[in-house]
Amino acid sequence: QVQLEASGGGSVQTGGSLRLSCVASGYSNSAGCMGWFRQTPGKEREGVATIYSGGSLTSYADPVKGRFTISQDSAKKTLYLQMDSLKPEDTAMYYCARKRGGCERGRVLQWFEYNYWGQGTQVTVSS
């Protein structure tokens, strides 16, 4: 049973930074990709960033390019999202997710393209 546990959310002021972590368990085949998506009440879920097995290729949504960095420690099965220069519009529940098998490269996956996701961690950015 695949489990994804996200942590690291919190409340920061505009311009601040947070680092989200996600510990994955319940699978042995590392093929596939992982990523983050977010949701604000009343809005559609939005893909934020995706990283492919091996960690050499990443993709970001336009609103976070240049500010967020996705990375992973494959040995620890841990996914990270470093968020810098945070803005109030980044306020959302952030979910880490995993897609097994082949992943289309060069774009950010949306939530429905993943096979698994965790419970989310709340990020709140105040102005």
Side-chain angles (χ1 to χ4, degrees):
Q1 180 180 352
V2 176
Q3 291 189 322
L4 300 164
E5 294 192 35
S7 62
S11 297
V12 297
Q13 292 189 325
T14 297
S17 297
L18 283 172
R19 189 192 196 204
L20 305 184
S21 298
C22 174
V23 179
S25 63
Y27 63 93
S28 58
N29 187 345
S30 61
C33 52
M34 296 189 72
W36 297 89
F37 64 88
R38 64 188 181 184
Q39 185 171 28
T40 302
K43 291 188 178 181
E44 293 288 328
R45 295 173 186 176
E46 175 187 31
V48 174
T50 302
I51 188 166
Y52 301 87
S53 59
S56 61
L57 186 61
T58 57
S59 295
Y60 297 93
D62 286 343
V64 308
K65 279 181 181 176
R67 301 188 297 119
F68 289 13
T69 303
I70 188 171
S71 62
Q72 65 183 6
D73 183 330
S74 298
K76 295 182 179 179
K77 288 187 177 178
T78 302
L79 180 71
Y80 303 100
L81 185 67
Q82 178 65 42
M83 305 187 296
D84 298 317
S85 302
L86 282 161
K87 304 176 181 179
E89 51 263 44
D90 294 319
T91 295
M93 185 72 77
Y94 284 73
Y95 299 86
C96 67
R98 171 172 169 76
K99 182 184 187 302
R100 59 178 185 267
C103 297
E104 183 180 346
R105 297 178 177 241
R107 65 177 183 84
V108 177
L109 270 62
Q110 299 304 312
W111 70 271
F112 54 84
E113 298 180 274
Y114 292 104
N115 300 108
Y116 312 97
W117 53 87
Q119 83 288 359
T121 185
Q122 178 67 38
V123 172
T124 302
V125 185
S126 58
S127 57

